[in-house]
Amino acid sequence: MDELFMKEALKEAYKAYEIKEVPIGAVVVRNGEIVGRGYNQKETLKDATLHAEISAIKDACRNLGGWRLPGCTMYVTLEPCAMCAGALVNARIERLVIGSKDLKTGACGSVINIVQMEKLNHQIDVQYGILEEECSNMLKIFFAELRKYKK
């Protein structure tokens, strides 16, 4: 099931890619059903908070009727940043499945680990590497095209 839902997150990332946003996508799943979807839109909508994870959390909260998301798993193509990791903890996401690590700004184990800090009131089970090659390749292609375009 993890690969199936990561493929859905990749579909969301492709939506971002199509509008020239950094291609990161996320889905929130509960009981085997997608309850939230999101992709990066911060450049398009000029809003620093519109990361894929935040959009997917907001969508899930609307669909489920509350701000707490117990029993939910988030699938995201790139390791969340500090802002998104904090939102995941706040929303009480139970499990986080990450396609590719972010060695520069990752806040779920790569640089810092907000989602498993014992001093916080909630910790998240984290799994890395589901469809890692597909997730990282989309980002590599995007940034290669961006560099080529800027020349």
Side-chain angles (χ1 to χ4, degrees), residues 103-121:
L103 302 177
K104 292 182 179 180
T105 63
C108 301
S110 291
V111 177
I112 57 175
N113 194 352
I114 292 171
V115 298
Q116 294 180 327
M117 291 181 72
E118 291 182 13
K119 289 187 175 189
L120 296 179
N121 65 335

Side-chain angles (χ1 to χ4, degrees), residues 14-21 39-41 43-44 142:
Y14 189 72
K15 291 177 186 177
Y17 179 87
E18 286 184 315
I19 60 171
K20 298 185 177 23
E21 291 273 358
Y39 57 94
N40 274 2
Q41 297 179 71
E43 296 291 341
T44 304
F142 174 81

Side-chain angles (χ1 to χ4, degrees), residues 84-100:
C84 294
L88 290 163
V89 170
N90 190 54
R92 313 300 197 272
I93 293 285
E94 187 173 309
R95 184 169 174 251
L96 176 62
V97 180
I98 299 167
S100 182

Side-chain angles (χ1 to χ4, degrees), residues 21 24 32 42 52 61 79 92-93 103 120 123-124 128:
E21 291 273 358
I24 300 170
K42 69 181 190 175
C61 289
E79 180 179 357
R92 313 300 197 272
I93 293 285
L103 302 177
L120 296 179
Q123 292 78 43
I124 300 171
Y128 286 100

Side-chain angles (χ1 to χ4, degrees), residues 8 14 25 53 57 64 77 79 96 109 118 129 142 151:
E8 291 297 317
Y14 189 72
E53 301 92 329
I57 288 169
L64 296 175
T77 58
E79 180 179 357
L96 176 62
E118 291 182 13
F142 174 81
K151 285 185 178 182

